[in-house]
Amino acid sequence: MTDHQALRRRQDLPRARGRGFAWVAPLLLLAGITTVDLNTTERFRIISWIVLVPGIAAAICGVWTTAFFSVLAVTLYVVVDHAWPKQYQAGLPDFILVAFAGVLAVLACAVRLKSERRMLHMRDIAETTLRTVLRPLPPGWAGLDHAAVYLAADTEARVGGDFYDIQPGPHGTRVLVGDVQGKGLGAVETAAALLGTFREAGYHETDLATVADRLETRMLRHRGHTAALGRGDGDRFATGLLLGFLPGRTDVVELVNFGHEPPLAVGPRGVRSLPPDHGLPLGMGELETGGGPPPTLTVALDPEETLLITTDGVTEARNGDGEFFELTAEVSRASTTDPAALVAHVRDGVLRHSRGRVSDDTTIFAVRPTPTDGQKERQRRRGGQPGP
């Protein structure tokens, strides 16, 4: 849908059977003022109130509709006012008021529509940026069941520094979830730079450690570029989790942790946390003992386990009493291992805990190897519920 189509739809709201009826409100007001003025005594003349009609039209209708109501208001004012004896007529001053209000209403409507076009254009840019950073992932992409929810702390910007992606390749499927330090366009730019490197390195590189090293190098190069531009975010860093699912293997996952909260493995036997982070965030690799990226861990996965990864918008969500959100406890009550249902459960819990207001960009990401037919049958019998 183009900006102009979206704007036209907004102008027509509310709608019934595809037809806009925003014009009904000023029309009813016009009819009401006219009827009351004609059916009351000379002591209650309200025809001058018809000046409100073009203003209402300017707020909810298009320019031509507003112009129509402006002309109609002036015409009805003249007709109704002259229906009274001369001594009770409002006369020329109120006529000028109604006519002048109509002109102003048309101009105000034009300004409103121009502002809405600009707003819709900016929203389109934000949505394009969001699709670039958080590109849509097809269901079952690369042999993985996955689901994700992203909640921007800035509801107007709609995109922040959280990022995630799945990249299939000849050496397995790689997954990256991360959180860039800070907010604003600088954080979005950094996330886009890291994702671009991940999509190439994740496909071509044989070892997950090499992918991790490429990400660290990209972060340092990006910081050097921003510093050369004289920007104040030259020391930006990013936490992240890099996962590697090996070809033909559903019982293990490779993991490189860049200072991120460890994933939760949710399975039929309950919830467990994977090994804690062993590395520093991206951009701080030179501080790592011995240099280089964090170590690559190989972690065993039980059948049907789902990995749940969240950014700090989840773990740092607070309620009215300042209490943090208890992620593990909430996941234990989920009664499901399905990625989509699990993500929805955590999202609802975070919003309920924080009363719908997230203070930081929030990403909830769940992934698992696509279950075999036998595993799907066991899940169906069990209703997707973890065992004791």
Side-chain angles (χ1 to χ4, degrees):
M1 179 182 297
T2 65
D3 290 344
H4 295 293
Q5 290 172 329
L7 182 59
R8 177 63 61 84
R9 291 189 64 181
R10 284 178 60 107
Q11 292 174 10
D12 291 342
L13 291 177
R15 302 177 66 85
R17 296 183 179 179
R19 296 177 179 270
F21 58 94
W23 51 268
V24 172
L27 181 63
L28 291 177
L29 180 61
L30 186 69
I33 293 173
T34 303
T35 302
V36 171
D37 190 86
L38 290 174
N39 289 276
T40 53
T41 68
E42 68 279 359
R43 295 182 179 180
F44 192 72
R45 293 297 312 284
I46 64 168
I47 190 59
S48 298
W49 292 12
I50 210 169
V51 71
L52 299 174
V53 173
I56 298 297
I60 61 177
C61 299
V63 172
W64 288 108
T65 304
T66 302
F68 169 78
F69 276 109
S70 298
V71 173
L72 185 60
V74 171
T75 303
L76 281 177
Y77 172 82
V78 173
V79 171
V80 173
D81 195 44
H82 281 75
W84 289 86
K86 188 173 182 61
Q87 64 270 29
Y88 301 127
Q89 293 178 7
L92 182 61
D94 285 2
F95 171 82
I96 295 175
L97 174 64
V98 174
F100 186 63
V103 174
L104 288 181
V106 173
L107 294 176
C109 182
V111 172
R112 173 181 66 86
L113 295 181
K114 183 178 180 180
S115 298
E116 288 186 355
R117 290 189 186 96
R118 184 181 297 110
M119 178 194 68
L120 290 169
H121 180 63
M122 296 303 295
R123 180 169 294 180
D124 185 60
I125 292 174
E127 290 178 350
T128 301
T129 303
L130 180 61
R131 288 194 300 269
T132 301
V133 177
L134 304 179
R135 63 177 179 177
L137 298 174
W141 181 237
L144 299 178
D145 281 353
H146 60 86
V149 167
Y150 173 75
L151 304 173
D154 185 348
T155 57
E156 294 299 324
R158 309 184 73 181
V159 62
D162 288 6
F163 57 91
Y164 59 84
D165 200 8
I166 298 175
Q167 179 59 58
H171 311 293
T173 300
R174 275 69 187 263
V175 176
L176 178 65
V177 181
D179 180 9
V180 177
Q181 174 261 337
K183 301 180 183 296
L185 292 178
V188 177
E189 182 183 6
T190 302
L194 291 173
L195 284 172
T197 297
F198 166 73
R199 289 162 186 166
E200 289 302 310
Y203 180 87
H204 290 287
E205 300 298 343
T206 304
D207 300 322
L208 195 67
T210 306
V211 179
D213 187 61
R214 291 276 300 275
L215 289 171
E216 174 67 22
T217 301
R218 184 67 182 95
M219 187 68 187
L220 294 176
R221 290 174 56 203
H222 180 74
R223 283 172 44 174
H225 178 257
T226 56
L229 292 175
R231 287 166 38 179
D233 57 351
D235 57 349
R236 194 183 296 274
F237 61 86
T239 64
L241 281 168
L242 178 62
L243 307 179
F245 292 90
L246 303 176
R249 299 284 302 273
T250 61
D251 57 338
V252 295
V253 61
E254 293 182 329
L255 170 67
V256 179
N257 193 323
F258 295 98
H260 202 85
E261 288 289 330
L264 294 180
V266 186
R269 292 188 291 181
V271 180
R272 65 187 177 98
S273 177
L274 267 59
D277 59 288
H278 288 280
L280 295 174
L282 288 163
M284 296 184 175
E286 67 274 9
L287 303 178
E288 190 80 43
T289 302
T296 301
L297 306 178
T298 301
V299 181
L301 287 180
D302 293 337
E304 306 172 30
E305 274 193 322
T306 296
L307 297 181
L308 177 69
I309 305 169
T310 63
T311 58
D312 54 12
V314 173
T315 54
E316 295 180 4
R318 300 187 185 215
N319 59 14
D321 298 327
E323 298 172 340
F324 289 107
F325 179 70
E326 295 290 344
L327 177 60
T328 303
E330 186 68 31
V331 172
S332 299
R333 294 191 291 267
S335 299
T336 182
T337 60
D338 176 70
L342 189 61
V343 163
H345 178 84
V346 175
R347 175 203 61 200
D348 294 343
V350 169
L351 293 177
R352 183 172 56 251
H353 183 80
S354 62
R355 298 181 180 179
R357 297 181 179 180
V358 292
S359 59
D360 196 2
D361 296 330
T362 300
T363 295
I364 308 166
F365 185 89
V367 64
R368 67 179 178 184
T370 301
T372 64
D373 292 339
Q375 291 172 339
K376 290 179 179 179
E377 178 62 22
R378 288 193 296 272
Q379 290 177 354
R380 186 190 65 80
R381 293 175 181 177
R382 195 172 52 245
Q385 297 181 359

